[in-house]
Structure formats: C-alpha cells, structure tokens
C-alpha cells in the first residue's frame, strides 16, 4: 500500500500534515483488515508512506475496496478547501520542473500464492512492486492483483501472460 503524490503534499503542507496522512492510512488499513480478516491478517508499516498487509486470498478484494473507498472519503479533511476544489497541488517534480500533481490517492500492489509460488521473498517483493507500479499508472486510488501462474520448471525463462485487475473510484 503506497500513497501517490505524497512528496508534493508533504512539501505543500509540511511534515506534520504529512504525518497525519500516514497515520490516516495506518488507521484505515488496520480497520479494513480488522473488519474483513482480522484473525488471520498481519499489517506492517514498511516505512514512510508504505504499508504491507498479509491476508488470505479470499479477503484481498474486499480489503482493497474498503481501504480505497474509506481513504478517498477521508483524505479531503487534510486539504485546504481551495486545493480540494481545484483538485491538484503545484510543485516541483524530480527534475525541478514546476507541474501539477493530483490529490493524494492510494495504490495497492497485490501478490497471491493462489496460482503461483515464489522461490524467495525477494521475488515476491519484486512482483508486489510491479503490481504497485501498475496500480500507480491508473487515475485515482486503485489496486492491481498479480494473476500470473508459476512457469513450469522446464521453461522457467518463459513468461506466461499476466492479467491484472484494478478497481478505481
């Protein structure tokens, strides 16, 4: 779970408001997990604006949808009304160019072991990062689920096609 446009939000509103955004996400992640898979799930704060959730495959979609919906409803409270109405913040990008950035949204990359196994935690983390990157290409808050199957061992270098699922609001 990652916040989109967090740097410009932090630059515009300051670190204290940025911390409020991170705490809001932490609360919403914990709440979504608690109501949909509290007994079997784990929530961790990786650092900065990144969180990890370990849950059952059957709870993934409802947790992601609940988190996205509650985040999109709550995040407006951290913005000045003028910025909220305008729908963007102006700030410098990574190249020092002034541009417009959308309001905070949340992107979630999901990896399951339903159809695939992983040889190492690093491989799992790499695929999760791919899914998060894909979710970030969508407008607004979204999630992407890895649906690729484990390649047969004899053809480990052959990649099977992937299908991702996103949900946006």
């Amino acid at each position: 779970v990652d916040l989109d446009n967090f740097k410009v939000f932090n630059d515009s509103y300051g670190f204290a408001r940025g911390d409020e955004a991170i705490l809001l996400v932490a609360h919403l992640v914990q709440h979504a997990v608690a109501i949909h898979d509290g007994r079997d799930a784990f929530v961790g704060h990786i650092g900065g604006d990144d969180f990890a959730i370990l849950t059952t495959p059957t709870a993934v979609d409802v947790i992601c949808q609940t988190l996205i919906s509650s985040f999109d409803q709550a995040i407006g409270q951290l913005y000045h009304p003028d910025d909220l109405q305008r729908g963007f913040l102006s700030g410098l990008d990574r190249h020092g160019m002034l541009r417009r950035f959308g309001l905070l949204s949340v992107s979630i990359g999901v990896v399951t072991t339903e159809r695939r196994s992983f040889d190492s935690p690093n491989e799992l983390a790499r695929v999760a990062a791919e899914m998060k990157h894909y979710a970030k290409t969508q407008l607004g808050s979204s999630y992407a689920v890895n649906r690729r199957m484990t390649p047969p061992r004899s053809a480990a270098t052959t990649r099977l096609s992937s299908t991702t699922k996103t949900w946006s609001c």
Side-chain angles (χ1 to χ4, degrees):
V1 179
D2 187 39
L3 281 172
D4 305 321
N5 303 315
F6 183 67
K7 182 185 180 317
V8 73
F9 179 85
N10 225 17
D11 291 348
S12 298
Y13 284 96
F15 292 115
R17 185 64 59 93
D19 287 348
E20 288 181 49
I22 291 170
L23 287 171
L24 174 65
V25 173
H27 170 75
L28 296 174
V29 166
Q30 288 176 327
H31 178 72
V33 168
I35 63 174
H36 296 297
D37 194 23
R39 69 181 191 283
D40 294 323
F42 169 81
V43 173
H45 180 221
I46 296 171
D49 60 326
D50 293 307
F51 294 84
I53 302 169
L54 301 176
T55 188
T56 59
T58 57
V60 166
D61 288 319
V62 70
I63 287 172
C64 289
Q65 291 168 5
T66 298
L67 175 56
I68 287 170
S69 177
S70 59
F71 177 85
D72 287 347
Q73 290 176 12
I75 196 60
Q77 69 189 357
L78 297 182
Y79 281 95
H80 186 278
D82 293 342
D83 293 334
L84 197 57
Q85 183 177 7
R86 187 172 46 252
F88 66 88
L89 294 175
S90 294
L92 298 179
D93 66 15
R94 296 183 192 274
H95 305 288
M97 303 295 295
L98 184 64
R99 57 171 261 202
R100 293 179 179 178
F101 293 86
L103 302 179
L104 288 174
S105 57
V106 65
S107 291
I108 307 167
V110 179
V111 177
T112 75
T113 55
E114 281 184 300
R115 300 173 64 187
R116 179 178 186 168
S117 60
F118 296 90
D119 292 330
S120 71
N122 287 341
E123 181 186 9
L124 186 136
R126 181 186 55 75
V127 175
E130 287 175 11
M131 294 298 96
K132 184 176 78 171
H133 176 74
Y134 180 79
K136 285 181 167 294
T137 67
Q138 308 304 302
L139 285 178
S141 294
S142 66
Y143 71 100
V145 180
N146 174 53
R147 303 279 188 205
R148 291 175 275 195
M149 295 182 357
T150 300
R153 291 290 179 206
S154 61
T157 58
T158 304
R159 283 276 186 211
L160 300 178
S161 63
S162 70
T163 304
T164 56
K165 176 182 179 190
T166 61
W167 181 83
S168 304
C169 49

